[in-house]
Amino acid sequence: MAGTERHDREMAIQAKRNLSKTTDPVERLRLKCLARGSAGIKGLGRAFRILDDDNSRTLDFNEFVKGLNDYAMMIDKEEAQEIFRAFDKDGSGTIDFDEFLVTLRPPMSSARKEIIMQVFRKLDKTGDGVITIEDLKGVYNAKHHPKYQNGEWTEDQVFKAFLDSFDSPYDKDGKVTTEEFMNYYAGVSASIDTDVYFIVMMKNAWKL
């Protein structure tokens, strides 16, 4: 179980509804990402990472706008400038995109972050900060998957599909970092009102 599809649908509907009510440009961008489901913010992060040719982990305004366009975020130039200014706190003309993604992520309580990290540590058997197919063997049971049961998929294909749900749509490398995992669950978390329900859901889903 990654984020359930039902949560994704509810969140997308909720985000679209809230879009018409908010005037804050950063909140509008967050909602536009969430309207794409749990992986929306992460997907935008990947679009930016592809543009970062020199690995500086920063973007200037033109790269920022190109990233939004590549990800098909329809935002006019004035709004893009407002968002950029909100993140370019020191006025250097560049923004740090890790910081940008963390700020864009829907806020989560420390209790939610802690349970997400517990799940991550359970899945990351080798403890290297990245979840891979090898890590999942023995932790995630592929044999319950309907496509495995009807002979369509092998175990590895089930694992790959599982990891893909955390990866962004444009760059599925079969590895999930802490940041990707957190971004994904920030999306799921946005559709769940109480910490208690979120924590129970995570514990049940991952048998913690």
Side-chain angles (χ1 to χ4, degrees):
M1 173 293 343
T4 63
E5 282 174 31
R6 184 172 58 85
H7 281 133
D8 260 19
R9 277 199 304 276
E10 283 169 11
M11 182 174 61
I13 293 163
Q14 208 177 334
K16 284 172 189 152
R17 202 178 293 137
N18 292 341
L19 253 175
S20 58
K21 297 181 208 156
T22 184
T23 52
D24 177 273
V26 175
E27 179 64 13
R28 283 178 64 76
L29 181 59
R30 177 184 292 145
L31 290 169
K32 281 181 179 182
C33 286
L34 291 178
R36 296 185 177 203
S38 308
I41 289 174
K42 207 174 57 218
L44 182 59
R46 275 283 159 78
F48 285 157
R49 200 154 289 155
I50 292 162
L51 287 173
D52 182 27
D53 297 331
D54 57 359
N55 287 327
S56 64
R57 303 189 83 75
T58 59
L59 299 167
D60 62 24
F61 181 67
N62 290 337
E63 288 173 319
F64 178 68
V65 171
K66 187 174 183 330
L68 292 175
N69 289 339
D70 288 353
Y71 195 52
M73 284 281 165
M74 296 308 147
I75 288 176
D76 61 40
K77 195 162 182 197
E78 286 71 42
E79 195 168 343
Q81 278 169 329
E82 269 189 82
I83 296 168
F84 192 83
R85 275 198 298 272
F87 287 99
D88 180 17
K89 292 190 175 67
D90 59 359
S92 64
T94 59
I95 58 175
D96 173 313
F97 68 60
D98 288 329
E99 207 174 293
F100 169 78
L101 291 172
V102 168
T103 309
L104 199 58
R105 199 188 275 165
M108 285 190 293
S109 66
S110 51
R112 293 191 190 207
K113 287 180 186 162
E114 177 50 38
I115 193 85
I116 293 167
M117 284 313 297
Q118 278 179 30
V119 173
F120 187 86
R121 287 192 291 268
K122 178 178 177 176
L123 292 175
D124 177 21
K125 281 213 311 250
T126 50
D128 60 356
V130 178
I131 302 170
T132 61
I133 285 179
E134 285 308 309
D135 284 320
L136 289 180
K137 288 177 178 172
V139 184
Y140 176 71
N141 191 344
K143 294 187 170 70
H144 296 315
H145 196 285
K147 289 200 173 174
Y148 178 82
Q149 288 175 341
N150 70 16
E152 258 182 84
W153 284 3
T154 63
E155 266 190 78
D156 273 10
Q157 281 172 302
V158 174
F159 290 137
K160 174 96 177 67
F162 173 81
L163 289 174
D164 281 354
S165 62
F166 295 97
D167 248 343
S168 87
Y170 305 113
D171 180 16
K172 296 192 183 301
D173 57 4
K175 298 186 181 83
V176 178
T177 62
T178 322
E179 177 201 359
E180 285 176 330
F181 203 71
M182 207 42 110
N183 282 343
Y184 179 86
Y185 272 113
V188 175
S189 165
S191 67
I192 295 171
D193 292 335
T194 68
D195 284 1
V196 172
Y197 179 63
F198 183 78
I199 289 165
V200 167
M201 182 198 83
M202 292 293 278
K203 282 186 169 172
N204 290 345
W206 295 108
K207 299 186 174 54
L208 286 183

